[in-house]
Amino acid sequence: MDNDLVKVYTVNGAASGSASSLPDWLRKKRAVKKKGAKRAVREEIEGTIDLIQHFEFPEASNRIKTTRDGHHAVATGTYKPQMRVYDLDQMSLKFERHSDSENVDFIILSDDWTKTLHLQNDRVIEVHNQSGLYYKTRIPRFGRSLAYHYPSCDVILGAAGNEVYRLNLDQGRFMNPLVLGEDVEGVNVVDINPAHQLLAFGTEGVSSDGFVEFWDHRSRSQVGILRLPSSQLTQPEVEASVSVTALSSRSDGLSIAVGTSTGHTLLYDLRSARHFGLKDQGYGLPVKNLSWIEGGTKMAGDGMVISADSKVIKIWDRNFPTVNFASITPATDINHVHHIPASGLIMTANEGIRMTSYYIPQLGPAPKWCSFLDNITEELEDQTIRSVYEDFKFVERNELTRLGLDHLIGTPALKPYMHGYFLSLKLYDTARLISNPFAYAEHRERMVQQKVEKLAESRIRTKKENLPKVNRTLAEKILKTQEKEEKRQAKLKDKYGDNQVESSDRKEKEKTNLLNDPRFKELFENPEFEVDQTSKEYSIRNPSAAMKRGKTAVEKEADESDRTSSDGISHSEESESSSESSEEGEEDEGHLINIAQPSTEIKSTLPRPRMNLNPPRLVPARPGGSTSASNLPKDASFGQRRLSSKLQAKNSGEAEGASVRLPDGGVQISWVPQYGSNKGKGRQNDIDPDDMLVPGGRGTKAKNKRPGVEEFGAGMERGGSGDDPKGRKISEGERSGRTQRRTGVRSGSKNAFRRI
């Protein structure tokens, strides 16, 4: 496991390692000065997060444990000696209860906080319930550790001497003690295996090394002794005895961890007398607490061990003891460490005022009562850790000589630290100004030069003579686009930093433009690939460039033709043939008069399609002149041709309902339906009333017809005397329509309405 990947978040108390970041003389000076004290308090508040409110004691804390239901935490401390219970669901202090003497160790008898048993440093055992102190008694010697045997309701007490006392809470009296070997000076720790209730006692030897004795509570007899390899734990030239200071049995019933006074942790299998794991804390201090991590996440693994002395907490794997999963160095000395089961939260009782809590996400999830810790781990990374000494400057020996301050070595003005000295910042600025009066001017000039160079790096300087001769405008456009993109990348680097924009810069550098791409080399060298900016296709794709360029003569002529044809002005004659009309239209095309020419010409980027100046010829439905089919014009309508053939048949003496025999033996009968009665002979007999192709058919009212007027289309007439149907004479202007623009009349004018 890489130690850098495991993150430890301080959620209560001072951050780990914060006390060692400042030297003693600087810390004392800050505590004396009023201004420095405020700054130190502000740093402490900003650098920590209080997960549990009032998680502290007036002077120091001794022990801390959580209840089995996981809703409360019980801690003991001093001064004055007291016990505090915290409601974890509310993350605040529930109550505090004072005692007569300082606590050594305690156990929680019930699933909640209501029943506890305390071992005091004056040989007193106190039993507390929900209302307060319930009962207290004394033991013959000063106690060191205690444990509770649930099957028999016995409290096992380890004390000075070779006797282990038993207090039965069911009977309310002391039972016969368990007597260990005569070479035992005292029992430092008592442990009960949770699987098979095997008793383990860590002893301290009188003239020899300590060992671990195992007892069976059912027979109240010793079942085994585990002796420590003192030769591996101490140096040969140092004569010191090794004692057992911590014990912890695993829930599988086979493994046990043994902590020694030399700062070593040994892992044993109960079936073997040889250890399979050895861990050195590194400080040579007695191991104060050991615990197995059970129910952790898959990343933490099964069988992690937490070992702690008064300086450091180490978490490591039982299979790889030499590799640390995590290492925590609190700001104050440690008295007790408690790991909340099936979570990544660790609580410590220490010699400081505030108790500390550490959250390690890789070790396990957050407990239910503080599940929000999984969501705010990113915010916890922003803890302020002092890395710069305010009001002081660290200088080396050669810099002191350059400033002319080497004569101050050995005086209170210089504080020796590592390979240099701490110097007052004001004195350093004054000495630097005296040694170099032009330091500010040089610094300002250097900063200006850096800014100029920075701007020059992001600017692309292109020379006109270096541009290609073919498609020069396209090359300039490509270079401008590239320059804008590089400026945008420079702004992103200034805003977000070089690391975050590095990946995007790499992708941009990999891209190639048309200028340096060999596939498009001919585009800027071969004149055949020159872009024609006057073409219609270029105007469609680049309308803004076409608008700046203006219209060509052909486009202007086409626009004038469009406006002329829309006004209905034409010099072609309807009576002439189509060939003559087309020739005459081409001759008069350049002489059309634009009557409705606007004051400002609207420029169009696209050429308008040219309209046909020859209007369609309107052909009457009746034949004119001769009725011979050969005399009909080429563009005669179907009705004219049909009526002409009918008249020819009538003139030749054929009956309208005559039958004609065909060569193949068939008979063809032809007739024309007539409208109304067949009285008289006239024009009505010659017209089919149901034929809509012939004028005068069904739907035409005879009373509306006027002599000499031809009707065609939908209500259109031609010919006649030119008079109005009401008898009024029509002028030539009304007949041909308006040919000039109206002047002097504004139908929607505001003044015109006022005059009415």
Side-chain angles (χ1 to χ4, degrees), residues 630-646:
S630 60
N631 297 331
L632 290 176
K634 296 181 179 180
D635 52 357
S637 64
F638 176 74
Q640 293 177 346
R641 297 178 182 276
R642 186 172 178 278
L643 185 58
S644 176
S645 61
K646 186 189 300 183

Side-chain angles (χ1 to χ4, degrees), residues 445-461 490 494:
E445 184 179 357
R446 187 164 53 252
M447 294 298 294
V448 171
Q449 184 66 23
Q450 290 179 359
K451 290 184 178 181
V452 171
E453 292 178 356
K454 187 176 181 180
L455 293 175
E457 291 177 358
S458 61
R459 186 184 301 115
I460 300 176
R461 299 180 178 179
D494 295 341

